[in-house]
């Protein structure tokens, strides 16, 4: 029983490491989900804001004041929700950008109302001028040819914002009313020009781009953090396993104890069945033992594997040099570690982080090899999917 006491602190440390990994991985996944969602919302808001700017700057008579009001209300509501999302995330950079966007959008709220009002006045004034004076010009018999031509020019030039001054027209009916109407149009057009300048000054597109860049960088950092965490967990587990094996070896001083240690190691391997892919092979690489997890991952029945070479699950993409290094290492009575790409019975691909340990007979000679593997396929798929998505987003 004393030999088993050696395992207690190791198992406790391993359980602590696994617990830390589970909690940390959950935090990282949550942050990745939040940042991915924020990146999509930023793209949507940028498109919405650009469409809103086009609506606000529509200078034609076809400009619909109701469309301006609707667009302004929509952009205000969406921006408020977006800022709330930024403030709910635990990033100082996003908090500062949210504050900057809030300042700009607050400055624009009154401008939206001014543009809507001024645009309505300008459009109605132009329509009034066109309806009243074009019909008058055509129907009036009191106008000379010169007055008729000049009045046409004055009306069209003023409505198109290309006429910058007014000339007194004598003996022309409604000339004063026309002049007053055109003066008002010009004043409102100047006011609209100032409002548009405020719009451009408070454009939030650059802020949105900065937020998107920040999310890309932060997602990359989180992926790197996850990768480092996985490596540390696998290395720590392997080191603790080796430490356990070393402690066993140090406590055995006789051949009887060596045989007993071999049996106990077999029991230890069984304890790994629920969390690892375990197999044994002879000196030629032929499989002598596989656990249930090995069968589950590869898709083979145990009877189809025993006596076969481990190459039955080897993926053709793996270089021959890796396996030469593997055999050189374990035949030299050393431990091999590496990540290997394998192929299951149905042709699907899976990745395993592998540790191969030589086992010895009573004379201290190698008589078989123990392989302990951890399935890391999901991590490879997660990283590959995120990278493809990131590249796709940048290509848009």
């Amino acid at each position: 029983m004393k030999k088993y006491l050696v395992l207690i602190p190791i198992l406790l440390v391993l359980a602590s490491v696994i617990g830390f990994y589970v909690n940390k991985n959950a935090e990282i996944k949550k942050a990745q989900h939040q940042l991915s969602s924020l990146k999509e919302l930023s793209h949507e808001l940028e498109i919405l804001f650009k469409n809103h700017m086009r609506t606000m700057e529509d200078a034609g008579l076809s400009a619909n004041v109701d469309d301006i009001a609707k667009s302004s209300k929509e952009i205000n509501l969406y921006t408020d929700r977006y800022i709330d999302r930024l403030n709910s995330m635990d990033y100082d950079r996003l908090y500062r950008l949210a504050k900057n966007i809030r300042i700009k959008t607050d400055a624009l709220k009154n401008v939206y109302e001014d543009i809507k009002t001024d645009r309505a006045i300008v459009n109605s004034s132009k329509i009034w001028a066109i309806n009243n004076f074009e019909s008058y010009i055509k129907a009036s018999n009191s106008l000379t040819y010169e007055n008729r031509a000049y009045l046409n020019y004055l009306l069209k030039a003023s409505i198109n914002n290309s006429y910058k001054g007014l000339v007194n027209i004598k003996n022309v009916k409604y000339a004063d009313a026309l002049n007053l109407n055109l003066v008002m149009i010009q004043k409102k057009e100047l006011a609209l020009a100032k409002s548009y300048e405020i719009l451009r000054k408070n454009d939030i597109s650059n802020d949105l781009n900065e937020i998107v860049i920040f999310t890309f960088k932060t997602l990359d950092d989180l992926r790197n953090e996850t990768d480092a965490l996985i490596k540390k967990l696998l290395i720590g587990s392997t080191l603790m396993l080796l430490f356990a094996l070393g402690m066993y070896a140090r406590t055995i001083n006789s051949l009887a104890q060596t045989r007993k240690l071999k049996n106990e190691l077999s029991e230890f391997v069984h304890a790994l069945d629920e969390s690892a892919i375990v197999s044994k092979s002879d000196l030629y690489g032929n499989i002598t033992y596989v656990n249930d997890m090995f069968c589950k991952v590869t898709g083979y029945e145990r009877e189809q594997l025993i006596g076969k070479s481990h190459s039955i699950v080897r993926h053709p993409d793996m270089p021959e040099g890796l396996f030469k290094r593997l055999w050189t290492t374990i035949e030299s009575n050393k431990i091999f570690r590496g990540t290997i790409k394998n192929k299951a019975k149905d042709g699907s691909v899976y990745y395993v982080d592998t540790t191969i340990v030589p086992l010895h007979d009573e004379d201290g000679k190698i008589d078989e090899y123990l392989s302990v593997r951890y399935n890391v396929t999901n991590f490879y798929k997660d990283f590959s999917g995120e990278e493809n998505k990131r590249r796709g987003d940048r290509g848009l």
Side-chain angles (χ1 to χ4, degrees):
M1 284 298 295
K2 291 184 178 180
K3 294 187 291 294
Y4 294 103
L5 295 177
V6 177
L7 296 177
I8 293 177
I10 298 173
L11 294 176
L12 290 175
V13 173
L14 180 60
S16 299
V17 171
I18 293 175
F20 170 78
Y21 165 73
V22 170
N23 292 332
K24 187 65 176 178
N25 189 58
E27 293 177 3
I28 292 174
K29 289 293 184 183
K30 180 180 178 181
Q32 287 176 331
H33 175 73
Q34 288 179 332
L35 289 168
S36 298
S37 175
L38 178 63
K39 182 173 62 177
E40 295 175 2
L41 288 176
S42 299
H43 285 307
E44 292 175 4
L45 180 57
E46 185 175 11
I47 294 172
L48 183 64
F49 188 78
K50 288 180 179 178
N51 292 335
H52 175 64
M53 291 291 283
R54 283 194 290 269
T55 300
M56 299 301 294
E57 293 182 352
D58 185 0
L61 289 177
S62 60
N64 191 320
V65 177
D66 291 335
D67 289 342
I68 293 176
K70 181 180 178 181
S71 179
S72 300
K73 182 178 180 181
E74 183 179 11
I75 195 69
N76 286 333
L77 290 174
Y78 200 100
T79 303
D80 287 342
R81 289 196 297 267
Y82 183 77
I83 291 173
D84 289 341
R85 174 67 66 87
L86 292 177
N87 288 329
S88 68
M89 302 180 69
D90 191 21
Y91 295 98
D92 291 338
R93 182 59 184 159
L94 294 182
Y95 177 79
R96 290 194 295 270
L97 287 169
K99 185 177 180 180
N100 194 37
I101 292 175
R102 171 63 71 192
I103 292 172
K104 290 182 177 180
T105 53
D106 287 345
L108 290 177
K109 287 181 179 179
N110 292 332
V111 175
Y112 295 155
E113 190 65 27
D114 292 341
I115 290 176
K116 182 184 73 171
T117 303
D118 291 344
R119 175 55 58 204
I121 293 173
V122 168
N123 286 355
S124 62
S125 297
K126 288 182 177 181
I127 293 172
W128 180 86
I130 291 171
N131 290 340
N132 285 275
F133 283 92
E134 282 193 346
S135 60
Y136 167 74
I137 291 170
K138 292 177 182 178
S140 178
N141 295 323
S142 62
L143 290 174
T144 64
Y145 174 79
E146 290 79 6
N147 279 342
R148 188 187 304 275
Y150 183 72
L151 195 57
N152 263 315
Y153 159 75
L154 181 63
L155 178 66
K156 292 178 180 179
S158 297
I159 290 176
N160 294 328
N161 302 322
S162 61
Y163 177 76
K164 301 304 180 184
L166 295 173
V167 177
N168 291 327
I169 307 172
K170 298 180 180 180
N171 301 322
V172 176
K173 189 177 181 181
Y174 302 134
D176 291 339
L178 175 60
N179 276 337
L180 290 174
N181 194 62
L182 296 180
V183 167
M184 181 178 62
I185 290 174
Q186 289 181 5
K187 287 182 178 179
K188 290 301 180 181
E189 291 287 3
L190 289 174
L192 283 171
K194 292 180 180 179
S195 296
Y196 295 149
E197 181 62 29
I198 297 175
L199 278 181
R200 287 185 285 273
K201 181 179 178 181
N202 291 280
D203 192 335
I204 63 173
S205 298
N206 290 335
D207 300 285
L208 295 175
N209 288 333
E210 190 171 347
I211 290 172
V212 171
I213 292 172
F214 174 83
T215 57
F216 273 122
K217 182 180 182 303
T218 307
L219 284 171
D220 282 340
D221 292 341
L222 288 173
R223 279 190 289 271
N224 293 334
E225 184 179 352
T226 303
D227 188 31
L229 187 62
I230 293 168
K231 289 181 179 178
K232 290 178 181 178
L233 176 64
L234 294 176
I235 292 173
S237 300
T238 303
L239 290 176
M240 281 187 282
L241 175 62
L242 296 177
F243 177 74
L245 294 174
M247 293 300 295
Y248 267 102
R250 290 169 66 97
T251 58
I252 296 175
N253 300 314
S254 65
L255 294 179
Q257 289 176 320
T258 302
R259 288 192 295 268
K260 189 175 182 180
L261 174 61
K262 190 173 181 179
N263 293 332
E264 290 172 346
L265 285 175
S266 297
E267 294 175 1
F268 188 76
V269 168
H270 288 308
L272 296 175
D273 282 348
E274 292 299 323
S275 60
I277 303 168
V278 181
S279 68
K280 289 183 181 180
S281 63
D282 61 19
L283 297 178
Y284 304 100
N286 297 318
I287 300 172
T288 59
Y289 166 81
V290 293
N291 68 344
D292 293 339
M293 185 72 73
F294 194 108
C295 297
K296 180 179 179 180
V297 172
T298 63
Y300 287 99
E301 298 293 333
R302 184 173 279 100
E303 293 75 16
Q304 295 175 304
L305 295 169
I306 301 300
K308 300 291 178 59
S309 171
H310 266 100
S311 61
I312 191 174
V313 294
R314 181 189 300 179
H315 196 281
D317 288 351
M318 293 300 295
E320 289 291 332
L322 174 67
F323 294 98
K324 289 182 180 179
R325 180 168 64 85
L326 184 155
W327 278 106
T328 299
T329 301
I330 61 178
E331 286 177 346
S332 300
N333 202 23
K334 297 179 181 178
I335 297 172
F336 171 83
R337 302 181 189 86
T339 301
I340 298 177
K341 179 180 181 182
N342 284 339
K343 182 174 70 172
K345 183 179 180 180
D346 61 3
S348 61
V349 174
Y350 65 97
Y351 295 84
V352 288
D353 189 272
T354 304
T355 300
I356 302 178
V357 181
L359 301 180
H360 306 84
D361 61 14
E362 296 177 358
D363 297 324
K365 296 180 179 180
I366 301 173
D367 65 343
E368 61 181 341
Y369 300 104
L370 170 67
S371 300
V372 180
R373 307 171 185 84
Y374 294 94
N375 192 340
V376 294
T377 306
N378 289 334
F379 298 117
Y380 273 80
K381 288 182 178 180
D382 286 345
F383 296 155
S384 177
E386 287 292 337
E387 181 67 16
N388 290 336
K389 183 177 180 183
R390 179 173 67 84
R391 290 176 179 173
D393 288 340
R394 287 179 174 174
L396 290 176

